[in-house]
Amino acid sequence: MTTDIKKHEEPGSMPTATSTLAPHSDVPTGHKTEPGRAGGGLFDPKQLVKSFPDAVRKLDPRVMVKSPVMFVVEIGSVLTTVLALKDPGDWFGWAITAWLWLTTIFANLAEAVAEGRGKAQADTLRKAKTDTVARRLAKDGKSEEQVPGTELRIGDLVVCEAGDIIPGDGDVVEGVASVDESAITGESAPVIRESGGDRSAVTGGTKVLSDRIVIKITTKPGETFIDRMIGLVEGAARQKTPNEIALNILLASLTIVFLLAVVTLQPFAIYAGAKQSMIVLIALLVCLIPTTIGALLSAIGIAGMDRLVQRNVLAMSGRAVEAAGDVSTLLLDKTGTITLGNRQAAEFVPVKGTTEAELADAAQLSSLADETPEGRSIVVLAKEKYGLRERHQGELAHAEWVAFTAQTRMSGVDLSENLEARKVRKGATGSVIAWVTERGGTVAEDAQTLTDAISQAGGTPLLAAVEDDKGARVLGVIHLKDVVKEGMRERFDELRRMGIRTVMITGDNPLTAKAIAEEAGVDDFLAEATPEDKMALIKREQAGGKLVAMTGDGTNDAPALAQADVGVAMNTGTSAAKEAGNMVDLDSNPTKLIEIVEIGKQLLITRGALTTFSIANDVAKYFAIIPAMFAVAYPGLDKLNIMGLASPESAILSAVVFNALIIIALVPLALKGVRYRPMSADKMLRRNLGIYGLGGLVAPFIGIKIIDLLISSIPGIG
């Protein structure tokens, strides 16, 4: 009995053509090297030595004034130096002076080390930036002229062939070629760049490995991605973010408050008969103001940008990195981000009267001439799941192969008499049904039910059929599905614990989109999405006070990338997309958006943790200095000397020494960042208060006591 089956022909179930080049993918397959990654760990002693001259140069008041807290420390260092020179025999004055200068230099050293790591990356990037001679096409589009790469202008057309260095950033407008981008991305596997579509962008300084392409220049000389990366990693292009500026204002306010407190303290001291020297008052001020976070704030910001660069992400501004840490909604493309991108054969479902082995054999035979990813996956599934040996076209020399075409939407093979004469076909349901019915064959009654079930599950059904001495008939259904990347559900669970809502964007119909969304574990999905739909979704989220991040690579993604708070454009994408976004992923890995959010959160957490530690530090130092200053006038204050410090001079000096050493001790943490764990905001606050708040209170008591014991053991001091 012949049953009429609906044609489940979904657009793109099989690509219309395959590349003649080697198999290519922008998913990293080769050896990965991180360009410019400074060696020697986070706190390389060689890097300290290299950065020390820069730290000294940063003592310039015009530089120091940018950090109000450390500028006050520098002024205090100058004043104590003058006072020490007036009384050369005062060992206490010289000791305080020396440690105040060290405090200032250590603060500069933290920033210099962070910048030094960036300069090491910049040196490597400069090696990739070479002066090239470009083959510019004349206006007639045929003749060529050789010009220096520095003379190229936006809109110029240049020709590059195998072995040529691409002279500037642009889009491929003609041809297809294999390109080595290892100098930029650190990825040794070459990538394919071709005209049209979303893989047309090329970067200046990369090398063409094969074929011939014509490139339209899209950037001015000196404004290429390499130039922008060099400026970024050196810190020259880094501007302070809004949160960083706000924190600087808070630190400046606290400094003013403590300055007024110390200034007004002297009249009370004089009245009590315990006048304090200017050196002691300066030491008190330096210990009470938040010098720790003031010294490390810039290094934290630079290190955050550095971590992005190490992952081959170019951020156009520090604001984007900070916004990534506050993101509450992630928009993720389904294809290539959540799924592998190519549908894969998942199972063979035979109709009644047919065995799985028979269906698998027919499916494999009919797919040998199908070079699409779907066709190759069918051959592999038959081999791995059903134990069929993978056969090749060459083994069946007398067979007639039927290659897949967009017109027939089928592939197959006609086997000759001596090879058990039969014809096997596999393809879109409508095409296979038409082939069977033309030969007077039958379509099993349950074929309709099977194809409907696969479609409702979000998959793509392909039919397999055979014509032999029993006649033409459908053997069963091949289930193709968009395979969700391994570990994506766990990643989305982490994001959910972080309080981030995930939305999958896809052009699929709602039924398919729902099935993929449920399997992947995303919170929501937008099916049959158009550029206008993406924009509307972003605006709705932002209207609710949420920050939105998304990835994109096509010109149609540009409006949404520009609207999003964090827009990550793929380096393989079009120039329009890269100009619209505020970040560019040089590896073109859409899943990296999740890492970018984690880096942003780590930056904010590190800043908050060290701010908590710094303020808690000041409380402990108060218990060291105040009792020492007034113990003579008010003996009762000696009860506050809970550390049992040896003498007033030793107590004050110990606090100043600890204040300097804690900065250098925290530099590795500022550079590496506080480890981020997905958790709610209130849990994170409690964790930070418990570790860095309590740690900031306890550490000074222990540290100052140890330093006091060492100082008091020195003859003539204790």
Side-chain angles (χ1 to χ4, degrees):
M1 180 179 178
T2 303
T3 304
D4 183 26
I5 299 182
K6 296 177 184 177
K7 295 182 180 180
H8 298 277
E9 298 178 18
E10 297 192 11
S13 63
M14 290 187 183
T16 58
T18 56
S19 174
T20 56
L21 295 169
H24 59 278
S25 170
D26 284 317
V27 177
T29 55
H31 174 64
K32 183 75 176 176
T33 58
E34 292 181 354
R37 181 70 179 263
L42 286 167
F43 211 39
D44 185 2
K46 293 181 181 178
Q47 189 66 58
L48 277 177
V49 175
K50 281 184 181 179
S51 303
F52 189 79
D54 287 335
V56 175
R57 281 191 289 271
K58 287 178 179 290
L59 291 175
D60 184 339
R62 291 170 297 182
V63 177
M64 295 294 297
V65 75
K66 296 178 182 177
S67 175
V69 176
M70 299 316 300
F71 183 59
V72 169
V73 178
E74 185 178 40
I75 292 175
S77 304
V78 172
L79 290 176
T80 56
T81 302
V82 172
L83 294 171
L85 288 172
K86 288 183 177 180
D87 187 5
D90 180 16
W91 69 267
F92 178 75
W94 283 111
I96 294 294
T97 299
W99 281 101
L100 288 184
W101 280 115
L102 284 174
T103 303
T104 310
I105 292 175
F106 287 166
N108 291 344
L109 193 61
E111 184 175 0
V113 168
E115 290 177 351
R117 296 173 71 201
K119 288 177 181 177
Q121 291 177 321
D123 290 341
T124 302
L125 289 169
R126 283 196 180 91
K127 294 176 183 177
K129 184 182 177 184
T130 57
D131 293 328
T132 58
V133 176
R135 297 162 55 189
R136 184 169 62 186
L137 284 177
K139 292 183 179 180
D140 59 14
K142 297 180 180 179
S143 59
E144 299 178 7
E145 56 179 340
Q146 292 193 344
V147 297
T150 53
E151 292 185 11
L152 292 175
R153 295 295 179 263
I154 295 176
D156 285 350
L157 297 178
V158 296
V159 177
C160 289
E161 295 181 326
D164 290 345
I165 300 295
I166 295 174
D169 295 350
D171 290 326
V172 178
V173 294
E174 180 184 320
V176 56
S178 177
V179 179
D180 177 11
E181 295 186 341
S182 59
I184 308 298
T185 66
E187 181 60 55
S188 62
V191 294
I192 299 301
R193 295 293 174 259
E194 55 192 342
S195 60
D198 295 335
R199 296 184 182 275
S200 60
V202 291
T203 306
T206 57
K207 185 177 182 179
V208 178
L209 298 180
S210 69
D211 302 285
R212 175 185 184 274
I213 52 176
V214 177
I215 301 167
K216 183 178 182 180
I217 299 299
T218 57
T219 57
K220 298 177 182 178
E223 296 181 5
T224 65
F225 274 109
I226 291 184
D227 293 313
R228 292 160 82 175
M229 281 192 74
I230 290 172
L232 176 70
V233 299
E234 283 187 325
R238 193 189 87 88
Q239 296 180 342
K240 291 184 177 180
T241 62
N243 281 354
E244 195 173 347
I245 292 171
L247 184 54
N248 260 318
I249 294 173
L250 173 63
L251 298 181
S253 301
L254 289 174
T255 301
I256 292 172
V257 169
F258 283 118
L259 179 62
L260 293 174
V262 171
V263 168
T264 56
L265 191 63
Q266 184 70 313
F268 289 103
I270 294 173
Y271 177 79
K275 182 179 179 181
Q276 302 296 319
S277 69
M278 184 62 70
I279 289 178
V280 170
L281 292 175
I282 292 172
L284 173 64
L285 174 63
V286 170
C287 287
L288 292 186
I289 62 177
T291 51
T292 307
I293 185 59
L296 299 174
L297 187 58
S298 183
I300 293 169
I302 294 172
M305 301 287 280
D306 177 61
R307 283 191 290 276
L308 272 182
V309 173
Q310 288 173 10
R311 287 163 176 79
N312 284 343
V313 177
L314 175 61
M316 306 304 179
S317 69
R319 182 189 294 266
V321 186
E322 195 169 85
D326 286 328
V327 160
S328 51
T329 303
L330 278 186
L331 305 187
L332 301 162
D333 274 336
K334 183 204 74 173
T335 305
T337 304
I338 296 173
T339 65
L340 294 175
N342 294 320
R343 279 166 296 186
Q344 306 286 308
E347 62 177 332
F348 299 129
V349 186
V351 297
K352 290 179 181 178
T354 305
T355 64
E356 283 192 44
E358 186 180 358
L359 174 59
D361 180 68
Q364 187 186 64
L365 274 173
S366 59
S367 299
L368 293 177
D370 184 0
E371 293 298 326
T372 64
E374 291 91 338
R376 290 195 293 269
S377 74
I378 291 171
V379 174
V380 172
L381 180 64
K383 175 186 175 184
E384 293 180 348
K385 188 172 181 179
Y386 297 94
L388 294 179
R389 182 176 61 84
E390 185 175 351
R391 293 163 287 190
H392 302 280
Q393 295 183 33
E395 297 180 32
L396 305 172
H398 301 289
E400 293 183 13
W401 298 98
V402 180
F404 169 81
T405 66
Q407 290 73 33
T408 64
R409 296 171 62 82
M410 287 193 305
S411 64
V413 61
D414 294 343
L415 300 176
S416 60
E417 295 286 343
N418 60 342
L419 289 172
E420 190 181 340
R422 56 176 172 153
K423 296 179 180 180
V424 185
R425 295 292 186 272
K426 170 229 59 185
T429 55
S431 300
V432 172
I433 290 169
W435 183 82
V436 170
T437 54
E438 284 173 4
R439 285 157 178 74
T442 60
V443 178
E445 294 181 354
D446 58 336
Q448 173 77 65
T449 305
L450 295 176
T451 53
D452 283 345
I454 290 173
S455 295
Q456 290 172 5
T460 302
L462 299 179
L463 290 183
V466 65
E467 183 184 20
D468 54 16
D469 55 0
K470 297 179 182 178
R473 63 192 185 281
V474 171
L475 298 177
V477 187
I478 303 167
H479 181 185
L480 296 182
K481 63 181 295 187
D482 219 347
V483 180
V484 174
K485 290 181 178 178
E486 187 177 354
M488 290 306 295
R489 177 174 283 276
E490 289 74 16
R491 297 296 294 274
F492 291 139
D493 287 342
E494 283 187 13
L495 290 171
R496 202 169 291 112
R497 288 195 295 272
M498 293 157 56
I500 295 175
R501 177 171 170 263
T502 53
V503 181
M504 182 184 77
I505 307 295
T506 178
D508 287 339
N509 61 67
L511 201 62
T512 301
K514 182 180 180 182
I516 296 294
E518 289 177 351
E519 184 178 354
V522 295
D523 297 313
D524 202 353
F525 65 89
L526 179 65
E528 298 176 343
T530 64
E532 292 77 14
D533 293 334
K534 295 178 186 178
M535 280 284 288
L537 175 59
I538 293 173
K539 289 181 178 179
R540 282 200 305 272
E541 293 290 322
Q542 291 173 333
K546 298 177 181 177
L547 267 64
V548 180
M550 75 162 288
T551 60
D553 57 3
T555 301
N556 63 340
D557 291 324
L561 287 171
Q563 180 67 35
D565 300 284
V566 180
V568 183
M570 302 296 101
N571 191 38
T572 56
T574 61
S575 297
K578 290 193 284 188
E579 288 300 321
N582 49 23
M583 289 189 187
V584 176
D585 176 18
L586 299 178
D587 289 333
S588 300
N589 178 9
T591 58
K592 197 177 288 184
L593 178 58
I594 298 173
E595 292 183 48
I596 291 171
V597 170
E598 290 177 349
I599 291 171
K601 286 190 173 296
Q602 186 183 34
L603 171 66
L604 296 179
I605 291 168
T606 302
R607 189 185 294 159
L610 292 183
T611 300
T612 303
F613 186 91
S614 178
I615 294 174
N617 249 341
D618 296 337
V619 176
K621 286 179 282 188
Y622 168 88
F623 280 95
I625 295 182
I626 296 297
M629 291 174 63
F630 295 98
V632 175
Y634 301 102
L637 282 176
D638 194 53
K639 293 180 181 178
L640 291 178
N641 184 15
I642 56 180
M643 288 179 274
L645 302 180
S647 65
E649 291 82 1
S650 175
I652 295 169
L653 181 56
S654 297
V656 172
V657 171
F658 177 83
N659 192 59
L661 294 180
I662 197 63
I663 293 173
I664 209 72
L666 290 175
V667 169
L669 183 61
L671 297 182
K672 183 180 180 181
V674 174
R675 184 181 176 186
Y676 173 69
R677 293 187 180 92
M679 61 180 70
S680 61
D682 57 335
K683 286 184 179 179
M684 195 176 299
L685 178 60
R686 288 197 298 270
R687 178 175 176 269
N688 276 353
L689 289 175
I691 296 176
Y692 298 97
L694 186 60
L697 282 173
V698 174
F701 283 99
I702 298 173
I704 290 173
K705 179 59 180 178
I706 293 173
I707 295 170
D708 176 71
L709 291 174
L710 294 174
I711 291 175
S712 60
S713 66
I714 300 175
I717 295 180

